Amino acid sequence: MIYYFAAFEPAENGVYAVRVPDIPEVATQGETLAEAMEMAEDAVRVSLEEYARAGRPLPEPSALPRVRELVEREDKELGWDTPADTLYQMVPAPDMDRTPVKVTISMPRNALAALDRKAELAGMTRSGYISSLAMA
């Protein structure tokens, strides 16, 4: 499993702002630390799924010293100091292995016909359509 470091910066109003420097698209927050961690996992998942859909390589996770350096540099560019009690936590990334795997399934003939019609309407193969349903 791959993990990315996220910076959880507490704000004066008790909210935690979250950034994952290795995945610039990730910026979220939570009203509690627990909520912020859930939001971070969700944001990482959504962002990496978009990378995979677009055929972009996944970012390499950075070591903690590099993540701290990136957060502090960005905060300085924005004109504020990184809070001393910023928490750096590893956030798990979902399995993004897109290697095709052959499977055999059984279903009623009419369900298979309906599946094939829907796949055709979507301009997809049966396998592609089933995969898109699973990833939705």
Side-chain angles (χ1 to χ4, degrees):
M1 178 164 272
I2 297 175
Y3 293 86
Y4 292 92
F5 277 106
F8 295 82
E9 292 182 308
E12 290 179 18
N13 59 1
V15 170
Y16 285 86
V18 183
R19 287 181 284 160
V20 179
D22 293 327
I23 310 171
E25 299 83 359
V26 174
T28 190
Q29 65 181 27
E31 292 192 21
T32 65
L33 185 55
E35 182 180 279
M37 288 186 179
E38 286 178 26
M39 297 298 288
E41 284 189 39
D42 189 53
V44 166
R45 179 188 55 77
V46 168
S47 294
L48 294 184
E49 285 173 355
E50 286 302 316
Y51 274 65
R53 277 190 199 94
R56 293 172 58 195
L58 300 183
E60 286 293 320
S62 296
L64 180 56
R66 175 72 176 144
V67 170
R68 284 183 195 270
E69 175 187 316
L70 292 169
V71 168
E72 290 171 4
R73 181 183 319 145
E74 185 175 315
D75 284 352
K76 187 174 183 178
E77 289 171 2
L78 293 170
W80 63 72
D81 293 325
T82 303
D85 52 351
T86 297
L87 173 67
Y88 293 89
Q89 178 71 37
M90 294 175 81
V91 175
D95 181 6
M96 300 305 293
D97 184 353
R98 296 179 58 92
T99 305
V101 177
K102 185 175 177 126
V103 297
T104 302
I105 61 171
S106 298
M107 66 174 63
R109 188 177 310 275
N110 65 339
L112 182 60
L115 178 66
D116 287 341
R117 279 192 309 276
K118 290 179 180 184
E120 185 177 346
L121 286 171
M124 303 172 89
T125 64
R126 179 189 296 158
S127 294
Y129 188 69
I130 291 171
S131 291
S132 72
L133 292 174
M135 298 303 287

